[in-house]
């Protein structure tokens, strides 16, 4: 990612001792929040299944756990360097200029941490006398993780700044100070003419500018929202922390850290490798077979983990050496890995589907079942391209695996392959919610990794829990920030303005669909996928209904377009991850990516304009719209 985890501070430094304490406490808190909520959710499933009753207080405990993971976990992720930044502009600057901008970004993180801390204190005080309905605890308990995390974030940002070259840090401080002074000095000149609608434009401009100079996406969203609240003056500034906390309040979001945890268990417990071995035994003998194996494996692994990061890591690291031994270029492997990851955006359990369902009125169960065929359509398109290229380039082929090997690897893979069946039976049969099913997926994966395959130790389990909580914290932090920013855009009447612009299309649903795809691809590339979805989906999904599109169909198209942007060279963060895993340069992978990108576009257009692929299964299972 875009940072390193610290741990080499001088032992006698008092600030180093404080940092170590903050590190240990932060890690312990988020792991406890993850494992504790996992135990509560899974126990609730068991109690309801055995006795037909549920714990009423689980929703409130879940909100506390989500708030803790989002804000404490988001800060731990910042400390470990997991908050991605946009390097499209920075990498093209002189190293000194790039360093100054990154220093300015660290100062902005420090300033935003202080601002949110002050505002959240007011929010805590205002909600202290209110009680939660079930547990009757102070309602401010949901805000406390945000309040506690901000001083720790400020400490980390200050430490990052202290580690910089003094001259670079001074120039960064000077740059921020000059810009702030100019804005405040000229406030009387420009603030009057700025209307409510143009305030949103300024907020968007601030978001893209500060993100472009190295401020992590989550903090850029907070900065954009704070800018709107300050300029417009319509909503009070306290709405900033309030909407951030509200953005983590949906119980269904608990499925996100659970599926990430399940994915890492699959990867580190050796379960994913067994699936890949089975697929390799089936199709590895084809010309270009290893690339075909990669596509099918990404489809299967996506259906087990829900975490695209875990999917890419599991398949990419398992196949990297095999590709090199058989003469495939690393750039080609990275391109296929990135293309197949786009396909995985609609394979259930998808984090994108969970987020989309939490911010819209779309049924998560409908999208889970509806995403199976669209992903297969794109996967088939990729496999056809690989077959054609293998004929032209005379790519290597292996000897067909013996039937005994196919049967043996198939039997080994049969147990993990039963997990999707468990997920679908639980959700479609109404036995459990997606969140509860995700807890079952974690426990199922734990049993396989520890008792059946014996591939995970207690230490590895704790490490997987910490990494899952950190990754989930980073994503939830971005979603919390995006919730505040998207609410600001809504207050600014941006949806109404967007409707007016779209009315000029004169009812052309084709142009609307193409425009939506282009918008999601572009913003998905610039805003790391999920933030773009969180901002745009609540605005676009209601409008899609006026153009005659099914919500489930349109939502799945948005997910694929978002994923394409995230894995699109040269700026897609997911594409960088694939290059790092394949151990190749961005330039080599980008050249190899060109034909696959064309096929991805074709596959996306097929899904977009042939709704049957997305709606046939939901209608067959009684989810007709």
């Amino acid at each position: 990612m875009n940072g390193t985890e610290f741990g080499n501070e001088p032992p006698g430094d008092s600030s180093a001792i404080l940092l170590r304490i903050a590190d240990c406490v932060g890690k312990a808190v988020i792991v406890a929040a993850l494992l504790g909520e996992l135990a509560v959710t899974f126990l609730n499933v068991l109690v309801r299944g055995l006795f037909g009753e549920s714990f009423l207080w689980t929703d409130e405990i879940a909100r506390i756990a989500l708030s803790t993971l989002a804000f404490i976990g988001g800060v731990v992720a910042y400390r470990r360097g997991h908050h991605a930044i946009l390097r499209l502009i920075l990498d093209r600057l002189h190293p000194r200029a790039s360093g100054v901008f990154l220093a300015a970004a660290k100062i902005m993180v420090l300033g935003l941490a202080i601002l949110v801390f002050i505002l959240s204190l007011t929010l805590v005080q205002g909600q202290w006398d209110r009680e939660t309905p079930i547990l009757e605890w102070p309602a401010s308990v949901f805000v406390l993780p945000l309040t506690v995390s901000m001083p720790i974030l400020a400490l980390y940002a200050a430490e990052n700044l202290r580690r910089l070259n003094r001259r670079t840090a001074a120039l960064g401080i000077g740059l921020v100070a000059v810009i702030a002074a100019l804005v405040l000095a000229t406030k009387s000149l420009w603030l009057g003419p700025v209307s409510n609608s143009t305030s949103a434009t300024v907020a968007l401009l601030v978001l893209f500018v500060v993100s472009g100079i190295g401020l992590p996406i989550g903090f850029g969203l907070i900065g954009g929202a704070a800018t709107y609240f300050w300029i417009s003056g319509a909503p009070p500034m306290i709405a900033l922390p309030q909407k951030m906390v509200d953005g983590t309040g949906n119980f269904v979001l608990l499925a996100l850290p659970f599926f990430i945890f399940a994915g890492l268990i699959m990867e580190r417990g050796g379960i994913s490798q067994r699936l890949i071995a089975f697929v390799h035994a089936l199709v590895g003998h084809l010309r270009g077979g290893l690339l075909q194996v990669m596509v099918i494996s990404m489809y299967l692994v996506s259906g087990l983990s829900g975490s695209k990061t875990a999917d890419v890591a599991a398949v990419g690291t398992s196949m990297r050496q095999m590709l090199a031994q058989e003469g495939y270029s690393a750039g080609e492997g990275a391109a296929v890995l990135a293309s197949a990851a786009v396909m995985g955006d609609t394979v259930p359990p998808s984090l994108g589907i969970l987020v989309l369902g939490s911010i819209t009125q779309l049924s998560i169960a409908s999208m889970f079942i509806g995403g199976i065929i669209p992903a297969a359509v794109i996967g088939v398109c990729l496999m056809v391209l690989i077959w054609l290229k293998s004929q032209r380039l005379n790519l290597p082929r292996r000897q067909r695996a013996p039937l005994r090997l196919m049967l043996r690897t198939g039997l080994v893979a049969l147990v993990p392959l039963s997990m999707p069946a468990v997920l679908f039976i639980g959700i479609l049969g109404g036995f459990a919610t997606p969140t509860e099913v995700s807890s079952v997926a974690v426990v199922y994966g734990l049993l396989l990794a520890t008792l059946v395959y014996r591939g995970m130790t207690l230490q590895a389990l704790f490490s997987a829990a910490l990494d899952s909580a950190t990754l989930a914290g980073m994503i939830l932090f971005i979603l919390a920030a995006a919730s505040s920013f998207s609410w600001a855009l809504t207050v600014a009447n941006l949806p109404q303005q967007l409707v007016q612009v779209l009315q000029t299309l004169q009812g052309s649903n084709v142009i609307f669909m193409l425009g939506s795809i282009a918008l999601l691809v572009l913003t998905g590339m610039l805003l790391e996928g999920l933030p773009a979805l969180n901002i745009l989906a609540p605005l676009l999904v209601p409008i899609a209904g006026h153009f005659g599109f099914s919500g489930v169909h349109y939502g799945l198209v948005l997910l694929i377009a978002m994923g394409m942007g995230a894995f699109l060279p040269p700026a897609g963060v997911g594409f960088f991850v694939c290059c790092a895993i394949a151990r190749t340069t961005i330039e080599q992978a980008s050249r190899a990516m060109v034909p696959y990108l064309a096929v991805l576009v074709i596959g996306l257009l097929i899904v977009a304009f042939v709704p049957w692929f997305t709606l046939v299964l939901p209608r067959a299972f009684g989810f007709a719209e």
Side-chain angles (χ1 to χ4, degrees):
M1 286 298 191
N2 298 292
T4 56
E5 186 171 5
F6 304 114
N8 299 318
E9 296 88 352
D13 190 344
S14 59
S15 65
I17 296 174
L18 185 60
L19 286 167
R20 289 194 191 99
I21 293 174
D23 287 345
C24 293
V25 172
K27 292 175 182 177
V29 166
I30 61 175
V31 169
L34 176 64
L35 296 181
E37 183 56 33
L38 173 64
V40 168
T41 305
F42 185 71
L43 181 62
N44 193 39
V45 175
L46 289 181
V47 170
R48 190 175 63 247
L50 295 174
F51 305 106
E53 297 182 359
S54 298
F55 300 129
L56 299 178
W57 43 266
T58 54
D59 187 62
E60 292 180 3
I61 294 295
R63 284 196 62 188
I64 297 173
L66 281 168
S67 184
T68 301
L69 286 171
F71 301 121
I72 304 293
V75 170
V76 172
Y78 177 78
R79 171 69 165 168
R80 303 180 82 189
H82 291 337
H83 279 274
I85 63 175
L86 303 178
R87 305 201 63 94
L88 184 63
I89 298 175
L90 292 174
D91 289 344
R92 286 160 175 76
L93 298 176
H94 189 277
R96 289 183 180 178
S98 176
V100 171
F101 282 136
L102 288 173
K106 291 174 173 56
I107 296 165
M108 286 186 277
V109 171
L110 177 61
L112 289 170
I114 295 172
L115 173 65
V116 175
F117 173 68
I118 294 173
L119 294 173
S120 67
L121 275 179
T122 305
L123 188 60
V124 168
Q125 293 171 356
Q127 296 191 356
W128 191 262
D129 294 331
R130 295 173 51 197
E131 293 184 343
T132 61
I134 306 299
L135 296 174
E136 297 182 348
W137 291 351
S140 56
V141 71
F142 302 129
V143 188
L144 282 176
L146 174 61
T147 306
V148 171
S149 68
M150 289 300 103
I152 303 173
L153 175 62
L155 175 67
Y156 289 160
E159 175 65 14
N160 287 350
L161 194 60
R162 187 177 71 86
R163 288 173 173 273
L164 294 177
N165 175 278
R166 290 186 178 181
R167 182 179 179 183
T168 301
L171 289 173
I173 293 172
L175 176 63
V176 174
V178 168
I179 294 175
L182 284 174
V183 170
L184 292 174
T186 60
K187 179 180 177 181
S188 59
L189 299 177
W190 54 263
L191 188 57
V194 173
S195 64
N196 190 47
S197 58
T198 51
S199 296
T201 304
V202 173
L204 285 166
L205 182 63
V206 168
L207 168 63
F208 285 108
V209 170
V210 297
S211 299
I213 66 170
L215 188 67
I217 297 297
F219 302 103
L221 290 164
I222 296 174
T227 299
Y228 174 79
F229 294 143
W230 177 60
I231 292 177
S232 67
M237 285 291 289
I238 199 174
L240 177 63
Q242 179 65 70
K243 293 304 173 184
M244 289 179 66
V245 173
D246 291 346
T248 65
N250 196 327
F251 180 75
V252 75
L253 285 177
L254 262 184
L256 190 148
F258 289 169
F259 277 129
I260 291 175
F261 194 16
L264 289 182
I265 291 172
M266 291 284 178
E267 174 199 344
R268 299 178 186 181
I271 300 172
S272 299
Q273 286 78 0
R274 288 169 169 82
L275 290 174
I276 295 170
F278 174 53
V279 176
H280 187 236
L282 289 180
V283 301
H285 63 280
L286 301 175
R287 191 179 296 277
L290 284 185
L291 300 180
Q292 309 278 19
V293 169
M294 185 175 285
V295 174
I296 298 174
S297 297
M298 282 296 295
Y299 186 96
L300 293 177
V301 174
S302 295
L304 297 177
S305 74
S307 168
K308 190 180 298 184
T309 303
D311 300 342
V312 170
V315 176
T317 53
S318 298
M319 299 196 63
R320 180 178 58 216
Q321 190 64 29
M322 297 167 61
L323 289 167
Q325 289 175 348
E326 298 196 15
Y328 292 88
S329 71
E332 192 79 15
V336 174
L337 187 62
S339 303
V342 174
M343 166 196 67
D345 267 303
T346 65
V347 178
S350 160
L351 299 186
I353 289 177
L354 294 170
V355 171
L356 185 58
S358 71
I359 60 178
T360 65
Q361 300 299 316
L362 299 179
S363 165
I364 293 177
S366 296
M367 288 189 287
F368 267 16
I369 193 74
I372 295 175
I373 295 181
V377 169
I378 294 178
V380 169
C381 291
L382 291 173
M383 294 178 70
V384 169
L385 173 63
I386 292 170
W387 184 82
L388 292 174
K389 288 189 69 175
S390 69
Q391 301 300 311
R392 183 172 61 86
L393 300 177
N394 196 29
L395 292 178
R397 59 187 304 175
R398 293 171 58 93
Q399 186 177 358
R400 183 187 294 271
L403 180 60
R404 179 182 300 176
L405 179 61
M406 292 184 187
L407 293 175
R408 179 162 54 84
T409 56
L411 288 174
V412 172
L414 184 62
V415 176
L417 280 174
S418 64
M419 183 185 289
V422 173
L423 297 179
F424 280 112
I425 291 172
I427 294 175
L428 299 179
F431 300 110
T433 66
T435 301
E436 293 170 336
V437 167
S438 67
S439 70
V440 175
V442 176
V443 174
Y444 188 83
L446 278 173
L447 293 175
L448 289 182
T450 57
L451 300 180
V452 178
Y453 298 134
R454 301 180 184 274
M456 178 165 282
T457 63
L458 187 61
Q459 182 179 359
L461 175 60
F462 178 82
S463 176
L466 175 60
D467 291 343
S468 301
T470 304
L471 177 57
M474 183 266 290
I475 296 174
L476 289 169
F477 186 91
I478 291 174
L479 293 178
S483 175
S484 181
F485 187 78
S486 60
W487 186 81
L489 297 183
T490 303
V491 172
N493 296 320
L494 190 63
Q496 290 81 351
Q497 296 176 41
L498 188 59
V499 170
Q500 292 175 1
V501 172
L502 293 173
Q503 285 176 345
T504 62
L505 301 179
Q506 298 178 348
S508 174
N509 54 3
V510 174
I511 297 178
F512 172 74
M513 179 63 81
L514 292 176
S516 300
I517 291 172
L519 184 62
L520 262 295
V521 169
L522 178 62
T523 54
M525 179 176 62
L526 296 177
L527 297 181
E528 202 187 352
L530 288 179
L533 186 71
N534 207 1
I535 293 171
L536 294 173
L539 306 179
L540 293 175
V541 169
I543 300 173
H546 296 296
F547 283 86
F549 291 109
S550 158
V552 170
H553 169 228
Y554 183 74
L556 291 172
V557 171
L558 292 186
L559 280 173
I560 299 172
M562 175 207 71
M564 187 181 298
F567 284 86
L568 188 68
V573 173
F575 186 73
F576 297 153
V577 174
C578 291
C579 291
I581 290 174
R583 295 180 182 175
T584 186
T585 64
I586 294 175
E587 290 75 16
Q588 289 177 334
S590 296
R591 286 193 294 269
M593 185 72 178
V594 173
Y596 295 102
L597 180 59
V599 167
L600 286 174
V601 171
I602 293 172
L604 176 54
L605 292 178
I606 291 174
V607 173
F609 292 105
V610 186
W612 181 88
F613 290 117
T614 55
L615 298 179
V616 59
L617 288 182
R619 287 171 177 168
F621 282 89
F623 292 103
E625 294 189 347

